[in-house]
């Protein structure tokens, strides 16, 4: 089914490309979708895929073109301003094995979950391991094949979240590399450094992969071993982020974090690997989503000078006395406050968050 969807994707992309180059016209989504019955007559194997799944394939081509035109407009705007910009890439054809998902736009039409089995049109019942029972009204079903050959199904539901009991507790969170995160309450979350722990296993798997000829069964097998190392690292990292984000959302009614630009920070080649391994963006996204579901206040504040300002008296260090990354203790020359650098920053982040919403400051115990 995936290969048939891949063929249709390439055929639709080729049709739209030829229509523009040879006839100087744009073939829209409705036109390409109307071609599916004719393609089924010329290629009977397409009948082995549900009709709405095939329609979704043509919609993906349409979305690829919309993204391409959006990049073109951004490129032209940057060139007009005299700025450097990367030339937008045209939508590409999918090679063999490079199409890994298919979607049923309407739950119950081609895909339906009954007990512990997913009933798929043209396939039949498929046993599944449920991550959680369905809540709300199911809308769409997407099936995906991972790089390691595992299969996942995602069922999107329309659901009204239930807010947690009201909490008056407040917390500011400062993320870092020495510790994954420091809370304004003084609690520290250790940095597990999962990628660092898997570096030797990854290097070994990549060395074995490099010795195999591309396109051979041995190369495919070894490529899955490399993908498995990355997958294992990602699972562990996401698991830690989910656990700590859930714990924080359950405890605190106001959560203030740094609004940091991770993409800019990884340009520092000395810290890029450690920053990517910490996955600050993923942790922040989980916090934001869980906070919205639970009815909590989530605020991202400007992190400028939060590490260089005293959380006790508000004094900001002069430019010639700014703390370097190796200095882990903040000493205030005015009020003589002696405090951990990350804890000081987290308290300042909480104060900025409270200032944003105009709530009186309540001292943490």
């Amino acid at each position: 089914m995936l290969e048939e969807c891949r063929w249709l994707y390439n055929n639709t992309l080729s049709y739209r490309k030829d229509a523009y180059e040879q006839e100087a016209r744009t073939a829209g989504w409705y036109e390409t979708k109307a071609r599916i019955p004719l393609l089924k007559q010329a290629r009977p194997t397409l009948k082995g895929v549900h009709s709405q799944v095939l329609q979704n394939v043509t919609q993906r081509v349409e979305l690829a073109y919309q993204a391409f035109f959006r990049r073109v407009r951004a490129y032209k705007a940057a060139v007009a301003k005299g700025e450097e910009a990367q030339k937008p890439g045209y939508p590409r054809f999918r090679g063999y094995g490079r199409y890994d998902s298919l979607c049923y736009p309407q739950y119950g039409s081609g895909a339906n979950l009954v007990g512990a089995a997913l009933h798929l049109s043209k396939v039949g019942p498929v046993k599944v391991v449920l991550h959680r029972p369905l809540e709300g009204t199911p809308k769409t079903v997407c099936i995906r094949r991972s790089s390691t050959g595992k299969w996942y199904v995602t069922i999107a539901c329309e659901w009204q979240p239930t807010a947690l009991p009201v909490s008056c507790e407040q917390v500011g969170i400062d993320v870092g590399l020495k510790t994954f995160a420091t809370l304004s309450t003084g609690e520290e979350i250790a940095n597990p450094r999962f990628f660092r722990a898997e570096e030797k296993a990854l290097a070994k798997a990549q060395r074995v992969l490099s010795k195999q000829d591309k396109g051979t069964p041995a190369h495919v097998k070894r490529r899955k071993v490399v993908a498995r190392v990355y997958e294992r690292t990602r699972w562990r990292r996401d698991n830690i982020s989910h656990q700590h984000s859930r714990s924080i959302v359950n405890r605190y009614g106001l959560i203030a974090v740094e609004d940091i630009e991770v993409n800019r920070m990884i340009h520092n080649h000395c810290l890029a690997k450690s920053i990517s391994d910490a996955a600050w963006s993923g942790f922040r996204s989980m916090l934001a989503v869980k906070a919205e579901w639970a009815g909590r206040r989530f605020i991202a504040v400007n992190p400028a000078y939060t590490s260089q300002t005293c959380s006790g008296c508000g004094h900001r260090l002069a430019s010639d006395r700014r703390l370097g990354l190796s200095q882990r203790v903040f000493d205030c020359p005015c009020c003589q406050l002696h405090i951990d650098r990350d804890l000081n920053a987290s308290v300042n982040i909480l104060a900025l968050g409270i200032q944003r919403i105009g709530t009186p400051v309540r001292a943490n115990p």
Side-chain angles (χ1 to χ4, degrees), residues 62-351:
E62 172 67 18
L63 294 176
Y65 269 96
Q66 291 180 6
F68 168 67
F69 293 139
R70 183 170 59 250
R71 294 193 300 270
V72 169
R73 290 192 296 268
Y75 173 77
K76 291 182 178 180
V79 171
K81 295 180 181 179
E83 302 175 354
E84 293 185 4
Q86 185 177 2
K87 191 173 181 180
Y90 192 79
R92 295 183 294 180
F93 292 95
R94 302 291 183 91
Y96 178 80
R98 295 291 183 177
Y99 198 95
D100 296 318
S101 65
L102 49 88
C103 292
Y104 295 83
Q106 291 182 333
Y107 179 85
S109 177
N112 187 28
L113 185 65
V114 180
L118 181 68
H119 291 255
L120 299 175
S121 174
K122 316 290 186 179
V123 177
V126 180
K127 187 177 180 180
V128 297
V129 178
L130 288 178
H131 173 257
R132 65 176 71 178
L134 294 183
E135 298 181 28
T137 305
K139 291 294 185 179
T140 63
V141 178
C142 291
I143 301 174
R144 178 178 62 86
R145 178 181 60 188
S146 71
S147 57
T148 57
K150 298 180 179 64
W151 292 87
Y152 298 91
V153 56
T154 302
I155 302 177
C157 302
E158 185 177 354
W159 174 62
Q160 292 296 330
T162 304
L164 293 177
V166 177
S167 173
C168 297
E169 299 296 320
Q170 304 164 346
V171 67
I173 304 175
D174 176 71
V175 294
L177 297 178
K178 181 175 180 290
T179 58
F180 176 71
T182 301
L183 309 186
S184 57
T185 57
E187 178 184 350
E188 293 184 349
I189 301 176
N191 187 358
R193 297 181 174 87
F194 290 121
F195 183 77
R196 295 285 186 179
E198 294 284 357
E199 275 188 306
K200 290 185 178 180
L202 178 61
K204 181 179 179 181
Q206 288 176 331
R207 282 196 301 268
V208 177
L209 174 65
S210 65
K211 297 177 182 178
Q212 309 299 328
D213 296 329
K214 290 187 177 180
T216 62
H219 185 272
V220 174
K221 180 180 179 180
R222 292 301 174 181
R223 186 170 61 85
K224 286 187 178 181
V225 175
V226 175
R228 173 58 181 149
V229 177
Y230 281 111
E231 182 184 60
R232 183 168 61 239
T233 304
R234 184 178 69 255
W235 282 357
R236 292 173 177 173
R237 185 185 295 125
D238 290 347
N239 181 56
I240 289 295
S241 297
H242 274 297
Q243 289 181 356
H244 288 298
S245 60
R246 170 50 57 193
S247 175
I248 291 172
V249 169
N250 287 346
R251 291 161 54 191
Y252 301 102
L254 171 64
I255 303 170
V257 300
E258 299 174 281
D259 187 14
I260 55 179
E261 294 289 343
V262 177
N263 290 335
R264 294 184 179 181
M265 298 180 69
I266 59 177
H267 291 169
N268 185 334
H269 298 291
C270 297
L271 301 175
K273 184 184 295 187
S274 297
I275 292 175
S276 299
D277 191 15
W280 297 332
S281 296
F283 176 65
R284 173 184 160 181
S285 298
M286 292 179 188
L287 271 177
V289 171
K290 289 181 173 64
E292 184 175 358
W293 284 356
R296 305 302 199 198
R297 295 295 300 270
F298 177 86
I299 302 175
V301 302
N302 188 350
Y305 305 109
T306 53
S307 297
Q308 311 296 334
T309 303
C310 177
S311 59
C313 65
H315 173 76
R316 181 177 297 173
L317 297 180
S319 57
D320 57 338
R321 300 189 61 182
R322 295 284 165 80
L323 297 180
L325 292 178
S326 60
Q327 297 175 274
R328 308 310 307 171
V329 177
F330 183 93
D331 289 304
C332 180
C334 293
C335 65
Q336 309 303 318
L337 178 65
H338 182 82
I339 189 175
D340 179 80
R341 171 200 179 106
D342 296 334
L343 177 58
N344 178 71
S346 63
V347 175
N348 286 330
I349 291 170
L350 175 58

